[in-house]
Amino acid sequence: MSKASLARIFQKKLIIWILVPGVLTSMLIIYLVGINQIRIMEREITQLSKSLSQNVNFYIDGAEDVLHSVAIISGNSDIAKKRSLFEGIHKEFNRFERLILLDRNENIIAVAPKGIEGVDFPIRFNNIDSDKHVLTSPIISPNSGKLVVYISLPIDGGGKIVAELSLDALQKFIYGFLSNNRIIILTDSYGNLIVHPDKEQVRIQSNVASLSIFNHPVNSEKGKFYQDNGKIYFGKVALIPGTGWKILVASTAEYLLEPVITLGLVVTTLIVCFFIMLTIALRKEFKTRITLPITNYINRLSEVAKGHYPTDSSQESEFLELNDLGKVFDVMSAKVRAREQELQVSKTFFQNIIDSMPSALVWVDENMKACEYNKKALEIFGKGLTKIESKHVEVFFSGHTEIYEAINEARKNKKAKILEGKRITAKSPNLYTVTIFPLLGSEMKGVVIRMDDVTSRVRMEEVMVQTEKMMSVGGLAAGMAHEINNPLGSIMQGAQNLERRFSSEIPANVQAAAEVGCTMEHLQKYLKIRKINRIITGIKDSGTRAAGIVSNMLEFSKPGKEQLTSVNIENLVEASLKLAAKDYDLKKKYDFLHIKIVKDFEKNIPDVMCSKSEIEQVLFNLLKNAAQAMVMHGFSGNEPCITIKTRANDTTMSIEIEDNGPGINPEIRKRVFEPFFTTKNTEAGTGLGLSVSYFIITQNHGGTFTVESNHSGGARFTISLPIKNQLTQA
């Protein structure tokens, strides 16, 4: 339930006691003034409509009187005289557009001004009104183009006189009474316009019979409000006797109610001003004596809630109740302050104990939300923040379903769970032992998660395993090399003996050939034709290459020596290339011999103090990785290519190995030297090659090892070694 302040309640009471009666009074005044204004307007409209109705009657009566006189004068005269008479009257009485004389059969026998005679008149006069002789609705005269009505009177001897009565003068007269706030509409009995503020509507003979005000009783003393073209009007309709015509006199509602609105605004403004002045005065008094003391107590309580305790006593009030409230507050504040200090000391003590632990601790509540953390957990999950917002465990350990399920199981079964060697964040390579145990004997339920970093231990175990594997591989390589050397030596010795046995320079060979009836010249010719010498040379070359491979294997399998030796870098690179050239993966179908090698060696580079086998191992790893990347993920250009550059300055020598492969994206490039980080599957790589190489270059030789890559593809590894190694000097 929402609560209102004392000031707000006081304002509401003022509105009920003062403003509402004032507004009701002003509304009553406005209503009475409005009724009076409507009555005044009704009288004004009634008088004007009666006056205009009489003028319309006078206009038509005057025309009929003239026409009646013409009928009497032309009763017994011949046709020629009647025509002459019609011409004269037409000229003198300009309200008649035409005068027409009809015979008994209603054929035209005379017209003024001159026109067609001897034809049937198109208008019938069967329903002539007894008082007025208006025969038709207003129409546009075909003779003059003006708005006219037809009037007919009988003549002695049979026949009729018909006149086209122009309404032009009548319209001008009525238009003189129009103003911006008053409209006058004159229609015939069917609603066809004779007079309208919009003269275009009269010209096209619009019909306004659909206006609501024309459907009310005519000649009523009360006016009516009606709407036309989006505006509201107040008016009254009067009936012109004997014609059926109607005249509407009206004014805009805005003009009618303008005095009422003005008065309402004045009265309302006065009432509101009075109310505002009274409210300001009363509110100031109320605020000074009541609201301010209470607000002061509220502020002091708020400060206590924030842990800021006042040092001074509450101010005395002239009201007894407020004075007692201040004394109670001072006592309560002192007690709360003492208890909070005790709690803070205990909380700080236990928090220091938890924060001093090397393990990361997280408390998860019953709703599976991670709520509290120690300092180590903030370092892991907070990324430099001093506080982490509460979030669901499934979000907190996003991507680690096994940890989430273990937490949920421990919470439900109230039993501890232990997970060994798990990653707990996506971006950290560290491994943790995660211990989850339920929180017992407390009002706060849930589980506590303890995470211990075991990365070093696990890595050491894996390094030891890998070291054992490498030692086994090295021993196996050495054994294989020795085993191959024995038959290889026999093959090489056999090839050399064949060369010696076929040589014509050795007397024993010449003697043996002669004993069998053959000369050495013929034997040499035979050997040449059958290309046996070439075969022997091929055996020797292949044996020499095999001996080189065995020598490289033996060199690679030797453990590194603590004592560094002076090594020619160009020869070392060539040896590594020869070793890599023998690397072939049948399953992945890549062969190092199919890769183009570009060598850019700087001349006169001095020898470098280093471990030949260790640097050879680093170069071999880089060459093998480049070859695998280009074969598995593609390359730019026409063919796979590896470029090897050597450069030197006064203190350092660098080796650059660059490929035209797919390149390395920035996220992976940051982690390529991390132990056990690999983009290959578990069968293809262990993630130790580059990390071991990094260790060899930076720790064993005091150099630098960097990697570069760009969006267009390709990767460049740069090894920098000191020419005079400080490790050796030390």
Side-chain angles (χ1 to χ4, degrees), residues 345-485:
V345 170
S346 299
K347 181 180 178 180
T348 302
F349 174 70
F350 286 109
Q351 187 64 43
N352 289 337
I353 292 175
I354 294 173
D355 287 341
S356 300
M357 296 178 65
S359 303
L361 295 178
V362 178
W363 171 57
V364 178
D365 65 9
E366 279 290 293
N367 298 319
M368 293 292 286
K369 286 188 175 182
C371 301
E372 297 291 339
Y373 320 84
N374 72 341
K375 185 177 180 180
K376 186 64 176 179
L378 283 172
E379 292 176 0
I380 297 173
F381 298 101
K383 300 176 183 178
L385 300 176
T386 57
K387 186 176 181 181
I388 306 176
E389 293 184 1
S390 176
K391 61 179 69 174
H392 198 273
V393 173
E394 192 171 7
V395 178
F396 193 80
F397 292 101
S398 178
H400 303 280
T401 307
E402 185 180 359
I403 298 177
Y404 167 72
E405 291 176 351
I407 295 171
N408 194 30
E409 184 179 348
R411 180 183 64 86
K412 289 181 178 179
N413 300 333
K414 305 296 182 183
K415 292 183 178 180
K417 295 281 293 183
I418 299 176
L419 301 176
E420 295 285 352
K422 301 297 178 183
R423 289 188 177 183
I424 58 177
T425 62
K427 295 185 178 181
S428 174
N430 291 359
L431 302 176
Y432 293 82
T433 295
V434 181
T435 305
I436 307 161
F437 50 91
L439 192 62
L440 304 176
S442 172
E443 295 181 359
M444 305 294 289
K445 302 298 181 182
V447 297
V448 176
I449 306 170
R450 190 185 76 197
M451 291 158 282
D452 298 299
D453 192 344
V454 294
T455 306
S456 299
R457 187 192 74 192
V458 172
R459 287 180 177 175
M460 183 60 67
E461 291 173 355
E462 294 189 7
V463 168
M464 291 174 65
V465 171
Q466 293 297 327
T467 302
E468 290 295 329
K469 287 182 180 180
M470 293 299 292
M471 290 177 66
S472 299
V473 171
L476 181 61
M480 289 175 62
H482 285 295
E483 291 298 326
I484 292 172
N485 261 340

Side-chain angles (χ1 to χ4, degrees), residues 197-214:
D198 186 356
K199 295 181 181 180
E200 178 63 21
Q201 298 295 322
V202 177
R203 189 187 68 79
I204 64 176
Q205 280 293 278
S206 296
N207 189 288
V208 294
S210 61
L211 284 177
S212 60
I213 193 166
F214 284 109

